Amino acid sequence: MMRVEVGTIEQLPKRLGKCVRIGALELALFRTHDDRVYAVENRCPHRGGDLSQGIVSGEYVFCPLHDWKICLRDGQAQAPDEGCVKTYRVAVEDGCVYVEL
């Protein structure tokens, strides 16, 4: 497993997404209201919407294209929708944010 530094916690606005590219991989990073940080594949399973542009509520992001609700913990679309996105482990140490690939 490889660990990559993707920025600092202060560079992630609360309840908003940020797109990060690591080589050919595109991730959406999210910082919740209580400073938890999540990383998911930046592509909605429905029509490929840019999840980093979605709205965050609790541990969910709402796709900006068709309002699919995606869980940031496990990547699952919430019923009645079906599908999932890949999730990545995140660590925050001394203010730096790392993603495990």
Side-chain angles (χ1 to χ4, degrees):
M1 191 148 308
M2 182 171 77
R3 192 166 112 144
V4 178
E5 184 176 343
V6 292
T8 67
I9 188 94
E10 295 305 319
Q11 292 172 322
L12 298 175
K14 290 186 179 188
R15 295 183 291 236
L16 296 175
K18 180 177 180 179
C19 179
V20 174
R21 289 184 185 268
I22 303 170
L25 184 63
E26 187 172 296
L27 303 179
L29 297 178
F30 299 96
R31 178 180 172 195
T32 62
H33 70 283
D34 56 357
D35 291 330
R36 287 175 289 160
V37 179
Y38 295 95
V40 300
E41 169 186 12
N42 192 26
R43 187 186 132 309
C44 180
H46 177 227
R47 295 268 175 113
D50 182 346
L51 292 178
S52 70
Q53 299 299 310
I55 296 171
V56 176
S57 178
E59 293 184 328
Y60 298 93
V61 62
F62 290 82
C63 178
L65 292 183
H66 300 100
D67 206 34
W68 275 38
K69 184 178 180 182
I70 309 291
C71 180
L72 295 172
R73 283 182 290 106
D74 62 15
Q76 293 293 320
Q78 303 303 290
D81 301 317
E82 296 179 357
C84 67
V85 295
K86 185 169 182 175
T87 60
Y88 297 86
R89 287 183 183 234
V90 175
V92 179
E93 297 173 4
D94 297 323
C96 293
V97 178
Y98 300 89
V99 174
E100 292 181 12
L101 304 177

